[in-house]
Amino acid sequence: MTEERETPASTTSKLAIVIMAAGKGTRLKSRRPKVLHEIGGKSLLSHVIAAAREIVPPEHIYAVVGHQADKVKAAVASTGIRFVEQTEQRGTGHAIQAAREAIAGFENILVLSGDAPLIQPETLSALWHFHQAQQAAMTLTSAEPADPTGYGRVIHPEQPDPPHRATAVMNALLDQPQKLGAPSFSQPHREKGGRPQPSTSLVHPQPSSPEVVAIIEQKMLSPEQLPLREVNMGLYAFRTAPLLANLGTLDTNNPHGELYLTDMAHVLHAAGERVVAFLAPDADQLLGANTIAEMMALDANLRMASARRLMAAGVTIFRPETCVIDADVEVGPDTVIEPFVQLLGSTRIGSDCKIRSYTVVENCSVGNDVVLLQSCVMADSTVADGARLGPFTRLRPGCEIGEEVHMGNFVEAKKAKLHKGAKAGHLAYLGDAEIGEGTNIGAGVITCNYDGVHKHKTLIGNDAFIGSDSTLVAPVEVGDRAYIGAGSCITKDVPAGSLAVARAHQVTKEGWADSRRAHAAPNTSPAIDPNNVGFKA
Ligand code: UD1
Ligand code: CA
């Protein structure tokens, strides 16, 4: 917890969080706004908001929205955060300009990207404390990935200077990067720093202080700057007064013609303000997603984190890299999860359960000692202790499966309540039905719940026996201990303790088949007279 939460009265105006979420996400090639793409079962923006809410109250969080703003707002409105409209998306600097009024009343802001969903509150809190301790006007979060390509590079005072802006833009546009870093402006600084740095080297000296003079975007790097490995991760803290005083000086002299928030490092430094870098303890948390492939890498990262969390809590997960487990899923100890299982949404699973491969459980609550055999597909339902389902059991929304219920192969249920010990072993459809304790549903039983217009209920009592291949035309009730003969089509209520058979009588003609065979001509297949086959009443 931060000081912000502990003493809200004295610091309510101290810190706000701005989440930049207006961008189009051109590189995704998607019609959906980037920040509404989902990983780990939640939108990118929802993940970021969840972290931000751990630091400040929701009314101090501002999401900058623009591209399909209404859709984005509607998707996260329930979080209680505020919104700022950036009608035209002219860059990250422009996004913060759009938030001018919103942030003016706060002493400091943290700026987050809506497309970096793995961020954890501890990191935000660490950045906030570092920013205050450094008394900086701007603190950017940096990291040193093995491959820095594509990121803005952090320039410290002893490192190659930012190239002259106009030259940089010209060269980037002409795609002649070799012209960028003329020795005339990088050489003297290297001598000053006393650390000669050959331009071919891939290692740069560790910054002696966190002080930063500029951030240079990939496309504007000089050859000397290309090897720099410390990159800007897109997470910042600003003191609002110097930010607002200088925000207007950003320009669009860059290959994208955008207003870059990253240029504030240079602008503030030039204005005599302190700009520092906070080297992130866990850079993986700050990874952003600009393409679908990057997003899927983050998804794998997030699901793996969920699997690790469960394993640390005593859950056995075989081949966890094949399982898809959402962030909010809970599983009790000693439950065993086989490869290729998906546990989604708000699913809760008890202890000592076995979940076999290819089972997909979404928003379900499952008790203890439950076995879900292979390929069960279950949504929005509850399953009580000791139940055994599958393989290929389908629970559609609204099912309540009681203790020790057994549901087997290809049994589909929807809004069905099965009481303790009920059994439906094979190939059944149970829709809008209630099935009493200990009742046995035979193979192929169907509750006919839909008359083409309305849905109707089937009620079956305790310890009843529904013979195989029976159809129960709802609305209909079958009493306790009643017995339905196989193949019946039940259209009327069946009282407790009685037998109901509703099918045509069997006709048996002894010797018929043999005599027909004997009369058939040799070497020809038996002719079938359609009038002489079948039943006569
Ligand atoms: C940005 C940084 C780069 C850093 C990288 C880290 C800039 C210019 N560059 O690049 O130094 O290494 O993040 O991931 O900031 N957005 C708006 N309005 C706009 C444009 C963008 O709200 O007009 C939002 C986007 O929706 C996104 C965030 O700002 O959530 C970042 O924008 P993006 O275009 O993804 O920046 P990067 O190219 O990743
Ligand atoms: Ca990005």
Side-chain angles (χ1 to χ4, degrees):
M1 270 305 107
T2 65
E3 289 157 21
E4 193 62 17
R5 272 277 169 96
E6 287 155 11
T7 52
S10 60
T11 57
T12 37
S13 61
K14 203 167 181 198
L15 183 68
I17 292 183
V18 179
I19 304 173
M20 299 184 293
K24 199 166 178 181
T26 314
R27 288 163 280 187
L28 282 189
K29 307 204 167 52
S30 161
R31 280 193 297 259
R32 242 188 315 158
K34 183 206 250 185
V35 295
L36 293 191
H37 277 254
E38 290 189 359
I39 69 165
K42 274 200 302 206
S43 72
L44 302 186
L45 185 54
S46 303
H47 285 285
V48 179
I49 292 171
R53 283 182 64 170
E54 296 289 318
I55 306 298
V56 296
E59 59 274 19
H60 292 183
I61 300 173
Y62 295 88
V64 182
V65 294
H67 179 68
Q68 298 190 34
D70 290 343
K71 240 186 185 173
V72 176
K73 281 200 231 174
V76 297
S78 64
T79 59
I81 67 159
R82 307 250 163 108
F83 299 97
V84 166
E85 296 252 2
Q86 185 197 11
T87 16
E88 257 185 296
Q89 289 81 56
R90 293 173 49 211
T92 46
H94 185 244
I96 301 304
Q97 286 180 355
R100 260 175 191 285
E101 274 181 35
I103 62 177
F106 295 90
E107 277 174 42
N108 292 273
I109 58 166
L110 299 183
V111 176
L112 281 59
S113 277
D115 66 351
L118 306 186
I119 185 70
Q120 295 300 306
E122 296 73 31
T123 301
L124 296 179
S125 177
L127 164 67
W128 170 222
H129 285 115
F130 184 87
H131 175 71
Q132 292 174 100
Q134 289 287 325
Q135 300 192 316
M138 172 179 184
T139 304
L140 59 98
T141 313
S142 70
E144 300 197 311
D147 179 8
T149 313
Y151 288 97
R153 305 298 206 284
V154 179
I155 311 293
H156 291 280
E158 72 272 29
Q159 288 167 330
D161 228 10
H164 184 263
R165 296 290 304 268
T167 323
V169 175
M170 285 283 288
N171 283 299
L173 288 173
L174 293 170
D175 200 22
Q176 290 173 322
Q178 67 278 10
K179 284 191 190 166
L180 278 176
S184 54
F185 56 73
S186 52
Q187 199 65 31
H189 285 269
R190 272 190 250 138
E191 283 162 1
K192 227 196 265 169
R195 283 190 269 187
Q197 188 195 12
S199 63
T200 48
S201 163
L202 285 176
V203 183
H204 77 87
Q206 272 295 319
S208 46
S209 87
E211 220 179 313
V212 169
V213 297
I215 301 169
I216 309 290
E217 292 300 298
Q218 173 79 31
K219 285 198 174 165
M220 298 176 71
L221 291 168
S222 70
E224 277 88 355
Q225 291 162 341
L226 267 177
L228 294 178
R229 275 190 48 225
E230 188 180 350
V231 302
N232 166 38
M233 296 307 289
L235 168 65
Y236 318 85
F238 287 96
R239 207 161 62 235
T240 317
L243 171 69
L244 292 179
N246 292 280
L247 198 56
T249 64
L250 290 178
D251 60 41
T252 54
N253 291 335
N254 56 62
H256 288 119
E258 289 186 348
L259 295 163
Y260 285 167
L261 183 60
T262 46
D263 282 349
M264 283 312 296
H266 174 68
V267 167
L268 288 170
H269 174 77
E273 298 286 352
R274 181 165 170 79
V275 180
V276 297
F278 168 64
L279 198 62
D282 173 12
D284 283 355
Q285 270 181 35
L286 302 168
L287 291 172
N290 294 321
T291 63
I292 301 267
E294 284 170 3
M295 209 179 287
M296 293 307 100
L298 298 190
D299 177 75
N301 188 323
L302 204 68
R303 314 274 191 177
M304 199 56 186
S306 301
R308 278 205 205 94
R309 170 176 60 84
L310 294 181
M311 290 190 284
V315 181
T316 298
I317 306 178
F318 289 98
R319 304 288 303 275
E321 73 280 10
T322 66
C323 294
V324 178
I325 299 175
D326 279 352
D328 299 336
V329 168
E330 285 174 17
V331 182
D334 292 314
T335 285
V336 175
I337 297 173
E338 288 192 347
F340 297 101
V341 163
Q342 298 193 20
L343 304 178
L344 308 174
S346 58
T347 291
R348 304 265 173 285
I349 294 192
S351 48
D352 297 296
C353 294
K354 185 162 179 104
I355 304 178
R356 304 212 53 189
S357 293
Y358 311 112
T359 283
V360 180
V361 188
E362 186 165 6
N363 302 328
C364 287
S365 173
V366 175
N368 303 319
D369 292 304
V370 171
V371 177
L372 304 176
L373 294 174
Q374 294 90 336
S375 301
C376 291
V377 178
M378 309 164 36
D380 304 294
S381 293
T382 61
V383 178
D385 296 351
R388 185 185 167 88
L389 274 58
F392 301 100
T393 297
R394 168 99 194 272
L395 297 187
R396 288 164 53 201
C399 289
E400 290 176 55
I401 307 304
E403 280 175 46
E404 288 156 47
V405 162
H406 169 59
M407 294 173 81
N409 314 256
F410 307 105
V411 174
E412 174 183 352
K414 187 218 75 175
K415 280 193 192 156
K417 184 168 183 171
L418 277 73
H419 289 271
K420 185 173 178 181
K423 289 189 178 65
H426 331 264
L427 298 153
Y429 173 63
L430 306 171
D432 301 300
E434 181 160 351
I435 292 147
E437 258 186 58
T439 285
N440 187 84
I441 305 288
V445 166
I446 290 173
T447 57
C448 307
N449 59 328
Y450 186 48
D451 61 14
V453 183
H454 298 109
K455 302 276 173 68
H456 303 282
K457 287 202 87 172
T458 300
L459 301 173
I460 304 175
N462 300 331
D463 299 311
F465 182 95
I466 314 297
S468 291
D469 203 27
S470 292
T471 50
L472 303 161
V473 182
V476 71
E477 258 185 80
V478 177
D480 293 344
R481 302 175 316 284
Y483 200 104
I484 307 287
S488 292
C489 177
I490 300 296
T491 54
K492 295 176 204 143
D493 290 352
V494 179
S498 47
L499 164 72
V501 185
R503 62 182 183 224
H505 283 286
Q506 179 170 333
V507 175
T508 308
K509 294 186 175 182
E510 280 188 29
W512 182 92
D514 281 349
S515 76
R516 189 166 153 279
R517 235 176 251 117
H519 288 99
N523 297 329
T524 58
S525 53
I528 294 173
D529 174 358
N531 297 318
N532 200 16
V533 179
F535 309 115
K536 274 183 190 147

